[in-house]
Amino acid sequence: MQGLMQGWPLTVDRILDHAKTWHGGREVVSRSVEGPIVRTTYAEIHGRAKKLSNALLGLGVKPGDRVATLAWNTARHIEAWYGVMGIGAVCHTLNPRLFADQLCYIINHAEDQIIFTDLTFLPFLLEHRDKLPTVKHFIVMTDEAGMQGANLPGALCFETLVDQNCADCAWGGFDENTAAGLCYTSGTTGNPKGVLYSHRSNFLHTLVTMGKDVMGLSATDTVLPVVPMFHANAWGLAFSCPATGAKLVMPGQKLDGASVHELLETEGVTFSAAVPTVWQMLLTHLRETKGQLTTLKRVVIGGSAVPEAIVRGFRDDFGVSVTHAWGMTETSPLGTLATPTGDIARMDSEEQLRFTLKQGRPPVGIDLKLENDAGERLPHDGATFGKLLVKGPFVVGEYFKSEGGDILDAEGFFDTGDVATIDAHGYMQITDRAKDVIKSGGEWISTIEIENIAMGHPKAALAAVIGAAHPKWDERPLLLVKLQPDQTGTKEEFLAFLEGKIAKWWMPDDVVFVDDIPLGATGKIDKKLIRQRMEGYVLPTAKTPVSA
Amino acid sequence: MQGLMQGWPLTVDRILDHAKTWHGGREVVSRSVEGPIVRTTYAEIHGRAKKLSNALLGLGVKPGDRVATLAWNTARHIEAWYGVMGIGAVCHTLNPRLFADQLCYIINHAEDQIIFTDLTFLPFLLEHRDKLPTVKHFIVMTDEAGMQGANLPGALCFETLVDQNCADCAWGGFDENTAAGLCYTSGTTGNPKGVLYSHRSNFLHTLVTMGKDVMGLSATDTVLPVVPMFHANAWGLAFSCPATGAKLVMPGQKLDGASVHELLETEGVTFSAAVPTVWQMLLTHLRETKGQLTTLKRVVIGGSAVPEAIVRGFRDDFGVSVTHAWGMTETSPLGTLATPTGDIARMDSEEQLRFTLKQGRPPVGIDLKLENDAGERLPHDGATFGKLLVKGPFVVGEYFKSEGGDILDAEGFFDTGDVATIDAHGYMQITDRAKDVIKSGGEWISTIEIENIAMGHPKAALAAVIGAAHPKWDERPLLLVKLQPDQTGTKEEFLAFLEGKIAKWWMPDDVVFVDDIPLGATGKIDKKLIRQRMEGYVLPTAKTPVSA
């Protein structure tokens, strides 16, 4: 027997319709790519997005066509987004921080027909347009004045298209499973793979993240999404802010401490979201300038693990609450958030901090599974670590064009590639990437945990741990240390420093001092490169017969 | 092109699965019908609900079968709910406050196969069971001890069924549009009509209400749903509390001020929801006993308009925030809530109060339409009032068994039967029921607004306004006043009291003093009965030729 409630497909155009009707006058403030601060409202964005839809239809865009954006966070980017999605085309957000080859690969793989671009990226597009045969039009997100200096022959002007089209355009009306967005994973191994979001998945992600214990946005909030729209949908904020009626402050291209601080203060921002690096830059700027945060109440931090110093800095020096979050492009992206449960809320602030530093717990709509290599479920005891798998209505089912083949297990879970623990409060903590974890005698050793402790040695500038081959244990930990300038160190003193802080069988078999520990594009230690560099290295314990 | 995210049907069994895994130890406390306070957890409720599912399967319940509950708010009621819905049967919540004839009609119309009942209702069932031919089994929500005094031959014992069945039962796995719940409207005209909720509509209502600006529940909350589960799903709390991990406190049968106050204090309740009458009883009790509210932070009030005195009482005397809400069985039920927008949050508390007393604004997922008799949309100016229509994924599409026929307009909106205004902030205010509004010369006059003002006259005990026939204007307002004991009054002094407080053309054409103003079952003025009693009455202005 079927229920008898209304059909009402969950399509994202309804989100901007809602904002227009119920929060039409709410401001959206952007630091434009041209420079000045620009003010608009949800009602204006709605009308302009509809005009863009008509412009796209006029350019021959059909449902399912991919229309890309290569753009910073601005109101125009939001207009392009909804303009594309509203007519059933697919908004493909391109990450300008990728290497040119990767970007070209992604544009070609997606078969993008149109690219909306900020002025910033014209040199790249001019140089590479010949390698992008599917792209029929470039739309430069500026006005006619901005087009004067734009060197991309044949490119269209965003504002001219808006001016030339009417706002009367029907949105939606298609199945809620229709594709809405496309975002490629950065792909540390192999080519980037595309995650094809549906209207339904985006809408459900929006509803879930609006929950008080998730992003918890309110119409009274002023939100600064520092996290880019090309970075997994700005963690959903380009949907959840209009859905809530929160004021939006879009930072454009300038994410340095001074620029972010200026917007936070002048616009009265109460809520922001970004990766740790951004917050580190802000805190450094505040300390150098004796700056204050007079309106900011809460920041959500994800993308990589939050250092304790950032949480303490925000909490103790500025009275700002930090929510640690975890997710991936494949999870739309929010998977877990470290918002307190009743038990944790009753703890004192130092005890609570232990949980803030974990990646947190899943909202309803996200199922997590922790399992070992044999596919057995592991206990939620906060100590046992295993592969983290995830399932839910806004989790990837398969990659675009079936890249990577079947990516779900028999129970329908997607393997995150992370290794984690889950504690009795339901808090998940990432302990390693699966490809980095050391498998020693059938047991797993977390490289990140050892690194974090070794990094605390006063002589260490950077530390990395990798698994090195071992005839008896398969792999054993090898610690690499880059010393502070003008320091010398010994293997013995670093081992002594670790002693008692980690399990005995986790103790590295060797310590090697190196001049350089390479970091990848996202600032994380590039272990793939380290493993390449250490090829040929043999552990001392592997050279002679082992007695123990 | 379809998105490539996971299939994950929105079925409500996943909500209790989530609570079990991530908030398994969170308490659910009930004032049992037998008397004592009973404590359990979401994990236990989950296991027991699965056992009940097996019991129901054993009794022959098939997908789509209606299984009714005639029960107060207790943990057992939640177990029955999820036990029924998890296997694709339909949980039909019966309202014990209805007259026996209506209850029998509803049970027969729904063709309920099984009725879960509290001990309270055995006398009713014993007396009427012969009139309920579809009901094969009665399950009494008690243990074997409780069954001793139970006089309902053949009835089954809830706890015995739990004991006799195993907890291994597959839930869900069906289409998310499968019917999950059935609730009949109280139906002031005609027979009650059934609203058949789907898993999808319940799940989406849950996600929407978890939003910070809606019910805004947190895992740190302790929630007392005074509003019954048979009253439009306890405003969704039986879903949203386990979905959030909030502690639940179920009040059972005792909703008087002293009983509610005791639970609020002993269990540390932070959030509660009920109709105004309940809160009036609580405030009266607190004043009589000089009681305090030491943990309560927020109450949501709906079901009928919130009197200003209740908002002020909570706010000024107890530091509790009131959120006014509007909804109906047909909207699952939450339609609007008066949570502040950015503009309203900046007002002083007296100015904010003007908005708290309105029914509020819709969350994303609820579309509202205000229109006149000609079907034209009316402005959101806070003054123009018209018919209120509603649309959304948890709004009724048609009634059970197509009672009432096609109930949606051409745009897919459902007519609420309410007359309302919507202001520039998006706040909706109910001004009348459509059947009570006075249509004078093509313009509408709100009876409620005149009544509320007239009720403020010191000599008035009660006031009611109805439309009386008029040869020129079709209808003109007639004010009926029941005076305070031992008072006398004149038409002139009541008209003088109204003068300047309402538009001139709203002024009643006559004032009639009556001994009694009848109230209906829900405490609202029974205008249908008043109109019957006033049959034959002729307005003085209708008797003579009218010059103006």
Side-chain angles (χ1 to χ4, degrees):
Chain A
M1 177 175 288
Q2 301 274 289
L4 294 172
M5 307 307 277
Q6 294 184 7
W8 198 92
L10 304 173
T11 57
V12 300
D13 49 286
R14 294 179 185 275
I15 291 174
L16 201 58
D17 284 348
H18 177 84
K20 176 207 167 199
T21 308
W22 303 102
H23 305 281
R26 195 70 166 140
E27 266 193 322
V28 177
V29 180
S30 306
R31 189 190 293 281
S32 66
V33 173
E34 293 91 336
I37 298 291
V38 174
R39 294 174 183 278
T40 180
T41 63
Y42 285 123
E44 289 180 56
I45 285 179
H46 183 270
R48 287 163 53 87
K50 289 229 162 186
K51 291 178 178 184
L52 283 175
S53 290
N54 277 327
L56 293 170
L57 293 170
L59 293 170
V61 172
K62 302 260 175 313
D65 282 353
R66 272 77 69 204
V67 176
T69 61
L70 187 60
W72 306 110
N73 285 9
T74 66
R76 285 194 185 120
H77 199 169
I78 294 178
E79 290 162 358
W81 248 32
Y82 283 95
V84 172
M85 296 184 199
I87 56 171
V90 179
C91 183
H92 176 199
T93 47
L94 294 167
N95 183 346
R97 294 189 185 133
L98 296 177
F99 294 109
D101 283 357
Q102 272 188 310
L103 259 179
C104 290
Y105 169 84
I106 287 172
I107 293 166
N108 286 322
H109 189 268
E111 301 170 68
D112 294 329
Q113 310 247 329
I114 289 177
I115 297 180
F116 282 92
T117 178
D118 273 329
L119 287 164
T120 327
F121 311 111
L122 297 187
F124 160 79
L125 292 171
L126 184 65
E127 185 183 343
H128 296 278
R129 67 186 299 172
D130 292 344
K131 298 176 209 154
L132 308 173
T134 64
V135 181
K136 296 176 194 154
H137 301 283
F138 296 93
I139 300 173
V140 187
M141 301 169 82
T142 189
D143 55 16
E144 284 297 338
M147 290 300 282
Q148 297 305 316
N151 181 16
L152 190 68
L156 303 169
C157 169
F158 186 96
E159 290 298 333
T160 304
L161 288 178
V162 168
D163 287 345
Q164 287 171 343
N165 283 275
C166 80
D168 186 11
C169 178
W171 275 353
F174 36 74
D175 186 278
E176 68 187 31
N177 291 303
T178 300
L182 178 63
C183 188
Y184 281 71
T185 60
S186 42
T188 50
T189 54
N191 276 318
K193 291 189 276 289
V195 179
L196 191 65
Y197 306 111
S198 66
H199 281 263
R200 173 183 164 99
S201 71
N202 280 337
F203 204 112
L204 290 174
H205 184 264
T206 304
L207 292 183
V208 166
T209 61
M210 286 165 75
K212 175 140 180 232
D213 279 357
V214 190
M215 299 290 260
L217 296 184
S218 162
T220 61
D221 273 316
T222 296
V223 177
L224 175 74
V226 182
V227 54
M229 289 167 72
F230 55 75
H231 190 171
N233 300 319
W235 303 351
L237 291 168
F239 296 119
S240 53
C241 289
T244 314
K247 173 178 165 183
L248 248 181
V249 182
M250 301 296 268
Q253 177 178 2
K254 293 189 176 171
L255 309 184
D256 59 283
S259 301
V260 167
H261 184 221
E262 188 194 3
L263 281 181
L264 289 172
E265 289 297 304
T266 57
E267 297 301 328
V269 171
T270 59
F271 179 103
S272 188
V275 295
T277 331
V278 166
W279 299 123
Q280 192 51 66
M281 291 192 297
L282 175 68
L283 290 174
T284 302
H285 169 78
L286 292 173
R287 280 168 189 144
E288 285 170 4
T289 59
K290 301 203 191 311
Q292 291 299 313
L293 297 172
T294 56
T295 60
L296 189 65
K297 290 192 172 58
R298 187 167 166 229
V299 291
V300 172
I301 310 187
S304 58
V306 178
E308 188 171 330
I310 289 184
V311 181
R312 288 190 187 275
F314 270 119
R315 186 190 71 181
D316 300 338
D317 301 344
F318 301 100
V320 173
S321 159
V322 167
T323 303
H324 194 180
W326 166 85
M328 37 198 323
T329 303
E330 287 88 341
T331 59
S332 297
L334 288 168
T336 63
L337 290 98
T339 44
T341 61
D343 284 343
I344 290 170
R346 276 189 295 274
M347 298 175 181
D348 67 38
S349 63
E350 279 306 290
E351 230 182 326
Q352 281 193 37
L353 187 73
R354 291 195 299 121
F355 294 94
T356 306
L357 294 174
K358 299 190 178 196
Q359 274 78 7
R361 58 197 177 85
V364 71
I366 287 283
D367 301 334
L368 295 182
K369 182 165 75 161
L370 201 64
E371 66 176 34
N372 61 18
D373 277 336
E376 295 158 337
R377 292 213 179 215
L378 297 173
H380 292 191
D381 60 10
T384 310
F385 57 93
K387 295 193 292 180
L388 182 70
L389 294 99
V390 63
K391 187 173 164 179
F394 43 87
V395 177
V396 66
E398 58 178 293
Y399 288 111
F400 190 48
K401 298 186 176 174
S402 296
E403 295 284 338
D406 188 359
I407 54 172
L408 306 186
D409 73 5
E411 290 184 312
F413 281 82
F414 168 75
D415 189 339
T416 64
D418 281 318
V419 167
T421 59
I422 298 175
D423 67 26
H425 295 282
Y427 272 51
M428 185 274 287
Q429 183 164 32
I430 304 281
T431 55
D432 219 334
R433 288 291 296 168
K435 62 184 180 335
D436 294 334
V437 78
I438 296 169
K439 296 183 180 175
S440 173
E443 300 288 337
W444 293 7
I445 297 173
S446 160
T447 60
I448 293 178
E449 220 168 311
I450 305 176
E451 281 162 10
N452 285 346
I453 297 167
M455 223 98 83
H457 191 291
K459 288 185 180 174
L462 267 177
V465 174
I466 59 167
H470 191 281
K472 179 169 178 185
W473 305 109
D474 293 331
E475 285 186 328
R476 290 294 302 154
L478 165 64
L479 171 63
L480 292 100
V481 177
K482 179 188 173 187
L483 291 166
Q484 296 279 5
D486 307 321
Q487 286 285 358
T488 55
T490 64
K491 169 179 173 175
E492 288 68 30
E493 64 184 307
F494 270 87
L495 291 180
F497 184 76
L498 292 174
E499 193 109 28
K501 299 192 179 84
I502 54 174
K504 206 161 178 178
W505 62 277
W506 281 33
M507 288 292 284
D509 276 23
D510 197 10
V511 181
V512 172
F513 296 94
V514 291
D515 295 334
D516 176 45
I517 288 183
L519 302 179
T522 57
K524 292 179 192 171
I525 294 171
D526 186 343
K527 297 205 179 168
K528 199 173 155 193
L529 184 53
I530 294 179
R531 279 190 286 261
Q532 281 172 12
R533 289 185 184 172
M534 295 303 287
E535 224 184 298
Y537 166 86
V538 180
L539 283 172
T541 51
K543 286 175 187 159
T544 49
V546 179
S547 54
Chain B
M1 177 175 289
Q2 301 274 288
L4 294 172
M5 307 306 279
Q6 295 184 7
W8 198 92
L10 304 173
T11 57
V12 300
D13 49 287
R14 293 179 185 275
I15 291 174
L16 200 59
D17 284 349
H18 177 85
K20 176 207 167 199
T21 306
W22 303 102
H23 306 281
R26 196 69 167 141
E27 267 193 323
V28 178
V29 180
S30 306
R31 189 190 294 281
S32 65
V33 173
E34 294 90 336
I37 298 291
V38 175
R39 293 173 184 280
T40 180
T41 63
Y42 285 123
E44 288 180 57
I45 284 179
H46 184 270
R48 287 163 53 89
K50 289 228 162 185
K51 291 177 178 184
L52 283 175
S53 290
N54 278 327
L56 293 170
L57 292 170
L59 293 171
V61 172
K62 303 260 174 310
D65 282 353
R66 274 76 69 203
V67 176
T69 61
L70 187 60
W72 305 109
N73 284 10
T74 65
R76 283 191 185 124
H77 198 169
I78 294 179
E79 291 162 358
W81 248 31
Y82 284 95
V84 172
M85 296 184 198
I87 55 171
V90 179
C91 184
H92 176 200
T93 46
L94 294 167
N95 182 348
R97 293 187 187 136
L98 295 176
F99 294 110
D101 282 357
Q102 273 188 311
L103 260 180
C104 290
Y105 169 83
I106 288 172
I107 293 166
N108 287 322
H109 188 267
E111 301 170 67
D112 294 329
Q113 310 248 328
I114 289 178
I115 297 179
F116 282 93
T117 177
D118 272 329
L119 288 164
T120 327
F121 311 111
L122 297 188
F124 161 78
L125 292 171
L126 185 66
E127 185 182 343
H128 296 278
R129 68 185 299 170
D130 292 344
K131 299 176 208 153
L132 307 173
T134 64
V135 182
K136 296 174 192 155
H137 301 284
F138 297 93
I139 301 173
V140 187
M141 300 169 84
T142 188
D143 56 14
E144 284 298 339
M147 291 299 282
Q148 297 304 314
N151 181 18
L152 189 68
L156 303 169
C157 170
F158 185 96
E159 290 297 332
T160 305
L161 288 177
V162 169
D163 287 346
Q164 287 171 343
N165 283 276
C166 81
D168 187 10
C169 178
W171 275 352
F174 36 74
D175 186 278
E176 68 187 31
N177 291 304
T178 301
L182 178 62
C183 188
Y184 280 72
T185 60
S186 40
T188 48
T189 52
N191 275 319
K193 291 189 276 290
V195 179
L196 191 65
Y197 306 112
S198 66
H199 281 264
R200 173 184 165 100
S201 71
N202 280 338
F203 204 111
L204 289 174
H205 183 265
T206 304
L207 292 183
V208 167
T209 60
M210 286 165 76
K212 175 139 181 232
D213 279 356
V214 190
M215 298 289 260
L217 295 184
S218 162
T220 61
D221 273 317
T222 295
V223 177
L224 176 74
V226 182
V227 54
M229 289 167 71
F230 55 75
H231 189 170
N233 300 317
W235 303 350
L237 291 167
F239 295 119
S240 54
C241 288
T244 315
K247 174 178 164 183
L248 248 181
V249 181
M250 302 295 271
Q253 176 179 4
K254 294 189 175 171
L255 308 184
D256 59 284
S259 301
V260 167
H261 184 222
E262 186 193 5
L263 281 181
L264 289 172
E265 289 297 303
T266 57
E267 297 301 329
V269 172
T270 59
F271 179 104
S272 187
V275 294
T277 332
V278 165
W279 299 123
Q280 192 51 65
M281 291 193 296
L282 175 68
L283 290 174
T284 302
H285 169 79
L286 291 173
R287 281 167 188 145
E288 284 170 5
T289 59
K290 301 205 193 308
Q292 290 300 312
L293 297 171
T294 57
T295 61
L296 190 65
K297 291 190 174 58
R298 188 168 165 228
V299 292
V300 172
I301 309 186
S304 57
V306 178
E308 187 171 329
I310 289 185
V311 181
R312 288 190 186 275
F314 269 120
R315 185 190 71 179
D316 300 338
D317 302 345
F318 300 100
V320 172
S321 159
V322 167
T323 302
H324 194 181
W326 166 84
M328 30 192 338
T329 303
E330 287 89 339
T331 59
S332 295
L334 287 170
T336 63
L337 291 98
T339 45
T341 61
D343 285 342
I344 289 170
R346 274 189 295 276
M347 297 174 181
D348 67 38
S349 63
E350 279 305 291
E351 229 183 326
Q352 281 192 39
L353 187 74
R354 290 196 298 123
F355 294 93
T356 306
L357 294 174
K358 299 190 176 195
Q359 274 79 5
R361 57 197 177 86
V364 71
I366 287 283
D367 301 334
L368 295 182
K369 184 166 73 163
L370 200 64
E371 65 175 35
N372 62 18
D373 277 336
E376 295 158 336
R377 292 214 178 214
L378 297 172
H380 291 192
D381 60 10
T384 310
F385 57 93
K387 295 194 291 180
L388 182 71
L389 294 99
V390 63
K391 186 173 166 180
F394 42 87
V395 177
V396 67
E398 58 179 292
Y399 288 111
F400 190 49
K401 297 185 176 176
S402 296
E403 294 284 338
D406 187 0
I407 54 172
L408 306 187
D409 73 5
E411 291 184 311
F413 280 82
F414 168 75
D415 189 339
T416 63
D418 281 319
V419 167
T421 59
I422 298 175
D423 67 26
H425 295 282
Y427 272 50
M428 184 274 288
Q429 183 166 30
I430 305 280
T431 54
D432 220 333
R433 288 292 293 169
K435 60 186 180 336
D436 295 333
V437 78
I438 296 169
K439 295 183 182 174
S440 174
E443 300 288 336
W444 293 7
I445 296 173
S446 161
T447 60
I448 294 179
E449 218 168 310
I450 305 175
E451 281 162 10
N452 285 346
I453 297 168
M455 221 97 85
H457 192 290
K459 287 184 178 175
L462 265 178
V465 174
I466 60 168
H470 190 281
K472 178 168 179 186
W473 306 108
D474 292 331
E475 285 187 328
R476 290 293 302 154
L478 165 66
L479 171 63
L480 293 101
V481 177
K482 179 187 173 188
L483 292 166
Q484 296 279 7
D486 307 322
Q487 287 285 359
T488 55
T490 65
K491 169 178 172 176
E492 288 68 28
E493 65 184 304
F494 271 86
L495 291 179
F497 186 75
L498 292 175
E499 192 108 25
K501 298 191 179 83
I502 55 174
K504 205 161 177 175
W505 62 278
W506 282 34
M507 288 294 283
D509 277 22
D510 197 11
V511 180
V512 172
F513 296 94
V514 292
D515 295 335
D516 176 43
I517 288 183
L519 301 179
T522 57
K524 292 179 193 171
I525 293 171
D526 186 344
K527 298 206 178 167
K528 200 173 153 191
L529 185 52
I530 293 179
R531 280 189 284 263
Q532 282 171 12
R533 287 186 185 172
M534 295 304 287
E535 225 184 296
Y537 166 85
V538 180
L539 282 172
T541 51
K543 286 174 188 158
T544 49
V546 179
S547 55

